[in-house]
Amino acid sequence: MPSFYELYRSSTLGTALTDSLDELIQAGHITPQLAIQVLEQYDKSISEALSNKVKAKATVKGSLGIYRFCDDVWTFVVKNPTFKFDHEGTAADKRLSGVTSFAMSTLMALVVVISLTTPFIPSSPTFDVSLHNVQTTTGRAMDPFDRTSRKAEYARLTFDLDADLSTMFNWNTKLLFAYMTVDYVTPGFETNRAVIWDRIIRNTRQAKLKLRKHHNKYALRNHPLTFEDVEGANLTLHINPVPYLGIMYDKPMVSIPFTIPRPVKAAAAGGAKA
């Protein structure tokens, strides 16, 4: 039987085995000769296991202080060592990392494709907007904390809306945001836009709109407090599809030109009444 080095008897497992054998000898359960045979078998078994069954490899870096070769065993004393372990799982980990990276890249490419193609999914919504009347009033107190609200002019629109937007719902549509704007030009600003009505449409059942003689939901007021310099305006219906995945985009559906009349003077109105 070849001899095996007793290096691994100082390991945690070897120390525990030695302590257990000492207790058994002191208790009289085994003889010292049997304990020696157990330790020799331990030396053999652990050496064979480390040589044949352990596939891990370790790389040690450090400053070599002492080395010797005795009884066919090399001994190295290394100062400030660093250990790096390589095992068989590294290849599998690399493959898994590669598959994960490819899957994430494919997913991101799919997200980009969906974002770019969703606005081009065909739909055929129907809509009709009719503007019945536009009235302008002065001194309509909308905000108790705004003193200018009593002097400002407010435009009130009366309109009809018939729309069927159900075809705009597809697998990537979360909801539709419908709103109306009034656009006009003033001497000081080329672009003026105010939202006067909106609605959130969450499903195809809510996508059929039928409004009769509806008024603007939000007040229409010009920044200079008067519409005197506004010659013309446009009432526009917008639909903003909100996708589950991708970017939101705006679809102006129909635009109606109209004029904002001047408010009736209070004195003139009183005289006419008299």
Side-chain angles (χ1 to χ4, degrees):
M1 180 179 182
S3 60
F4 294 89
Y5 192 61
E6 302 176 359
L7 174 65
Y8 300 107
R9 292 187 186 183
S10 60
S11 63
T12 303
L13 181 60
T15 302
L17 178 60
T18 303
D19 294 340
S20 300
L21 293 174
D22 290 340
E23 292 179 2
L24 292 175
I25 292 174
Q26 293 176 4
H29 295 296
I30 62 173
T31 62
Q33 292 78 12
L34 180 58
I36 294 175
Q37 293 179 3
V38 172
L39 289 175
E40 291 178 349
Q41 182 61 41
Y42 166 76
D43 296 336
K44 175 184 178 182
S45 299
I46 195 170
S47 298
E48 292 178 350
L50 292 175
S51 300
N52 302 326
K53 296 183 179 181
V54 176
K55 303 300 182 181
K57 297 180 180 180
T59 303
V60 183
K61 291 184 179 181
S63 300
L64 182 60
I66 302 173
Y67 67 94
R68 59 177 174 265
F69 181 73
C70 181
D71 295 334
D72 294 331
V73 175
W74 282 98
T75 303
F76 299 93
V77 179
V78 182
K79 298 179 181 179
N80 301 322
T82 57
F83 296 87
K84 181 180 179 181
F85 295 93
D86 298 327
H87 51 83
E88 287 186 338
T90 302
D93 292 343
K94 290 182 178 180
R95 288 194 295 269
L96 179 60
S97 177
V99 171
T100 304
S101 177
F102 176 76
M104 292 301 296
S105 300
T106 304
L107 181 61
M108 291 302 298
L110 184 62
V111 168
V112 173
V113 171
I114 292 175
S115 301
L116 295 178
T117 57
T118 296
F120 300 100
I121 297 178
S123 61
S124 56
T126 60
F127 44 84
D128 181 41
V129 179
S130 300
L131 184 60
H132 289 286
N133 188 21
V134 180
Q135 293 180 343
T136 307
T137 59
T138 303
R140 184 180 177 186
M142 299 296 297
D143 188 355
F145 301 98
D146 183 7
R147 296 180 179 180
T148 63
S149 62
R150 298 183 181 274
K151 301 178 182 179
E153 296 179 359
Y154 296 89
R156 186 184 186 188
L157 282 68
T158 304
F159 60 89
D160 291 346
L161 172 61
D162 289 284
D164 185 359
L165 310 176
S166 55
T167 59
M168 298 186 69
F169 277 88
N170 53 63
W171 61 272
N172 194 31
T173 303
K174 183 178 181 180
L175 56 88
L176 300 176
F177 181 66
Y179 62 100
M180 283 187 175
T181 61
V182 173
D183 301 271
Y184 55 92
V185 178
T186 59
F189 302 93
E190 295 183 359
T191 302
N192 298 270
R193 170 169 291 184
V195 177
I196 64 167
W197 174 87
D198 61 12
R199 178 169 295 184
I200 297 175
I201 303 170
R202 303 182 183 277
N203 50 53
T204 55
R205 182 174 54 84
Q206 300 177 355
K208 296 182 179 181
L209 304 176
K210 189 174 183 179
L211 305 180
R212 291 292 179 268
K213 294 184 178 180
H214 204 74
H215 303 295
N216 40 315
K217 182 178 178 181
Y218 307 107
L220 178 56
R221 166 185 163 179
N222 195 19
H223 181 72
L225 307 182
T226 178
F227 291 102
E228 183 177 0
D229 296 329
V230 178
E231 297 181 356
N234 288 297
L235 176 65
T236 307
L237 172 64
H238 301 260
I239 305 298
N240 192 341
V242 180
Y244 286 104
L245 185 64
I247 58 175
M248 296 187 296
Y249 55 96
D250 182 79
K251 280 189 174 183
M253 310 302 286
V254 62
S255 183
I256 300 175
F258 69 97
T259 57
I260 301 178
R262 304 294 305 134
V264 179
K265 299 293 183 180
K273 184 177 181 180

